[in-house]
């Protein structure tokens, strides 16, 4: 979080026109402490979506503080996405691309099929009601993606509903595109639960290498 705030500082001054940046930073860190107490438990290291929560929930804290300072929703989204991309790009390219290849691998697709089936099971939903629920999607004839995931229930949506963060939720969704692109993966998504659809349709393919 402190690294993100370092990366965001110039934008907070120049675009959001905030002064007393040290005070804003402290507000964000204080809000982050609150967010951490609100973050649901979805299985820890054994839960696939735990990593997503840990990586992205801090942006809820940033959004809340910036809204209190009167920053527009569009500007919040712009600052958060550029900050997240800048942070992702601090990881060496070879490491990022290796992570992307692992994600797209047949071994990981097999694991994702298993995790998807588990997410939809009654036992899992009973034990972790705040978790995501999703299906693995195989490409059909004429499809130009390697595989897909349909999220039928979203942990971030559940969190936003519970804690009054629905207006800033779309900015969390927007972070997904850079998260995959910086690893050499093209994400196509035309609808989201946050936008009122009945599922989020993630479709993955490899970006052409330079």
């Amino acid at each position: 979080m402190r690294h993100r705030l370092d990366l965001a500082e110039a934008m907070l001054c120049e675009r959001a026109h905030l002064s007393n940046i040290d005070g804003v930073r402290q507000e964000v860190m204080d809000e982050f402490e609150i967010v951490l107490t609100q973050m649901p438990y979805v299985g820890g290291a054994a839960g696939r979506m735990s990593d997503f929560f840990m990586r992205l929930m801090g942006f809820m804290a940033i959004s809340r503080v910036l809204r209190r300072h009167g920053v527009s929703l569009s500007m919040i989204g712009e600052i958060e996405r550029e900050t997240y991309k800048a942070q992702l790009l601090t990881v060496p390219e070879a490491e990022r691309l290796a992570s992307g290849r692992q994600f797209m691998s047949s071994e990981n697709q097999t694991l994702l099929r298993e995790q998807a089936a588990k997410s939809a099971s009654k036992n899992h939903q009973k034990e972790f009601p705040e978790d995501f629920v999703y299906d693995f999607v195989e490409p059909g004839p004429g499809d130009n993606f390697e595989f897909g995931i349909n999220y039928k229930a979203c942990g971030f949506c559940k969190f936003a509903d519970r804690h009054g963060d629905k207006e800033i939720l779309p900015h969390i969704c927007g972070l997904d595109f850079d998260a995959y692109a910086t690893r050499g993966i093209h994400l196509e998504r035309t609808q989201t639960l946050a936008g009122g659809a009945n599922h989020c349709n993630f479709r993955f393919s490899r970006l052409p290498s330079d």
Side-chain angles (χ1 to χ4, degrees), residues 98-123:
S99 172
R101 288 192 295 272
Q102 191 281 327
F103 178 79
M104 298 298 292
S105 69
S106 58
E107 293 82 5
N108 190 56
Q109 291 183 46
T110 297
L111 179 60
L112 284 171
R113 289 185 188 93
E114 297 170 356
Q115 292 172 327
K118 181 180 179 181
S119 79
S121 69
K122 290 183 179 180
N123 286 343

Side-chain angles (χ1 to χ4, degrees), residues 110-189:
T110 297
L111 179 60
L112 284 171
R113 289 185 188 93
E114 297 170 356
Q115 292 172 327
K118 181 180 179 181
S119 79
S121 69
K122 290 183 179 180
N123 286 343
H124 185 84
Q125 292 182 43
K126 182 178 180 180
E127 187 174 4
F128 305 112
E130 303 305 309
D131 202 357
F132 293 68
V133 178
Y134 50 97
D135 292 328
F136 186 90
V137 179
E138 306 281 1
D143 286 330
N144 59 0
F145 62 89
E146 293 189 39
F147 68 92
I149 298 176
N150 285 345
Y151 287 95
K152 300 186 295 184
C154 169
F156 291 112
C157 291
K158 296 173 186 178
F159 180 94
D161 283 341
R162 176 170 294 184
H163 299 290
D165 297 302
K166 290 182 71 172
E167 66 177 2
I168 57 181
L169 184 60
H171 303 313
I172 302 299
C173 303
L175 300 174
D176 292 326
F177 292 94
D178 288 311
Y180 288 105
T182 55
R183 291 186 287 159
I185 300 168
H186 173 66
L187 167 64
E188 183 176 347
R189 187 181 64 201

